[in-house]
Structure formats: structure tokens, C-alpha cells
């Protein structure tokens, strides 16, 4: 488990912060359930992701295809731990750590962790990921 003892910094309206935290939980559940449509809908229509060791991927459909490319692996656990969520009108930034556990096709279980930054954007009144970057932390 990643040590986040410094806690999340306080800024922005509490209700909006809770909506973003809820959206991260929806994303994690969808990832564990291989629910690629819900994953895609977690992003804005003009979103971009910045996967580790890969080019920038733009647009909801391309992002959905990228998440589907790893579908041979079963995600047993996925959790985001935000350290800060700050609001700027209809945008917010969120950074912190992620961790998870997956079972590969050969039955091997891997534990992994990393850090992330997400720029959120309100789209039709709902917080969605606009820019999403993550990098794995190797032990």
C-alpha cells in the first residue's frame, strides 16, 4: 500500500471534490469489470491520455480502444489515492498515486503502483477526465 499519510490538501468546494472522487471510483470499478464503455464515458469527448512509454492518444473512441488492448489481463484491484484536488472554474486538477493487482493470462499475479495527474473538465454538468497521465513506480 502506498503511504499517503500527508493526506489530501483542502481546496475547492467539498461537494465538487466528492463528485470527482466518486468518478474515480466509477472508473476503477469499470476497469476491474472490463467495462470499456464506462471507461470511455469517464473521459471528455476531446480527452487525451498519456500512457507510460506510448504516444498521446486523443478522443474518446481511441482511448476506449487503448484500454481494450489490455483486456487479456484480469484487473483484480485498482485504486486511486488523490493527494490534491484543486478547482479552476469548469476545470480541476487532481494528482496522487494509483495501485492495483492483476492476473495475467498465465495465471501470474502482479502488484503495481504509480503516480498520476488528471485535468478534469465539466462536460454537460459532469466532471470527466480531459487530460490523463500516469507513470508506473518500479520497486
Amino acid at each position: 500500500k502506498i503511504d499517503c499519510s500527508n493526506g489530501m490538501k483542502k481546496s475547492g468546494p467539498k461537494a465538487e471534490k466528492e463528485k470527482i472522487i466518486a468518478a474515480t471510483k466509477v472508473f476503477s470499478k469499470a476497469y476491474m469489470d472490463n467495462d470499456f464503455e464506462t471507461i470511455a464515458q469517464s473521459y471528455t469527448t476531446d480527452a487525451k491520455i498519456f500512457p507510460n512509454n506510448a504516444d498521446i492518444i486523443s478522443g474518446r473512441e481511441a482511448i476506449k480502444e487503448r484500454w481494450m488492448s489490455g483486456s487479456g489481463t484480469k484487473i483484480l484491484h485498482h485504486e486511486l489515492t488523490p493527494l490534491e484536488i484543486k478547482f479552476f472554474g469548469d476545470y480541476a486538477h487532481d494528482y496522487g498515486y494509483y495501485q492495483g493487482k492483476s492476473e495475467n493470462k498465465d495465471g501470474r499475479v502482479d502488484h503495481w503502483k504509480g503516480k498520476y495527474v488528471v485535468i478534469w473538465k465539466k462536460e454537460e454538468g459532469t466532471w470527466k477526465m480531459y487530460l490523463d497521465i500516469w507513470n508506473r513506480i518500479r520497486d
Side-chain angles (χ1 to χ4, degrees):
K1 191 122 177 143
I2 296 171
D3 177 17
C4 299
S5 57
N6 63 340
M8 185 171 35
K9 295 180 183 178
K10 306 290 185 216
S11 63
K14 184 177 180 183
E16 294 301 301
K17 193 174 286 186
E18 288 173 1
K19 289 177 187 177
I20 287 179
I21 291 168
T24 65
K25 290 179 181 180
V26 167
F27 178 88
S28 289
K29 182 175 181 342
Y31 189 32
M32 290 184 285
D33 292 345
N34 281 331
D35 180 354
F36 302 110
E37 189 56 39
T38 297
I39 289 172
Q41 293 303 314
S42 297
Y43 290 93
T44 63
T45 55
D46 59 344
K48 287 142 189 76
I49 64 172
F50 303 77
N52 205 26
N53 298 316
D55 288 332
I56 297 169
I57 299 170
S58 298
R60 190 180 280 158
E61 281 306 309
I63 291 170
K64 180 180 175 180
E65 288 177 24
R66 167 58 167 79
W67 285 108
M68 289 174 68
S69 69
S71 63
T73 300
K74 182 175 182 181
I75 305 302
L76 304 172
H77 176 73
H78 183 263
E79 181 179 0
L80 298 169
T81 304
L83 296 179
E84 178 179 80
I85 300 172
K86 226 174 197 177
F87 295 88
F88 307 92
D90 284 344
Y91 290 86
H93 77 239
D94 164 20
Y95 70 83
Y97 292 100
Y98 67 86
Q99 62 183 333
K101 180 169 60 168
S102 55
E103 182 179 338
N104 298 318
K105 293 176 187 174
D106 64 4
R108 190 180 78 246
V109 173
D110 288 327
H111 296 264
W112 33 266
K113 62 184 179 182
K115 56 200 178 296
Y116 73 90
V117 174
V118 172
I119 303 299
W120 295 85
K121 181 176 167 183
K122 255 195 179 175
E123 188 175 78
E124 299 177 12
T126 302
W127 288 107
K128 297 193 177 215
M129 290 182 278
Y130 171 55
L131 303 176
D132 184 11
I133 184 168
W134 63 93
N135 298 100
R136 195 165 180 171
I137 298 171
R138 303 273 182 207
D139 290 326

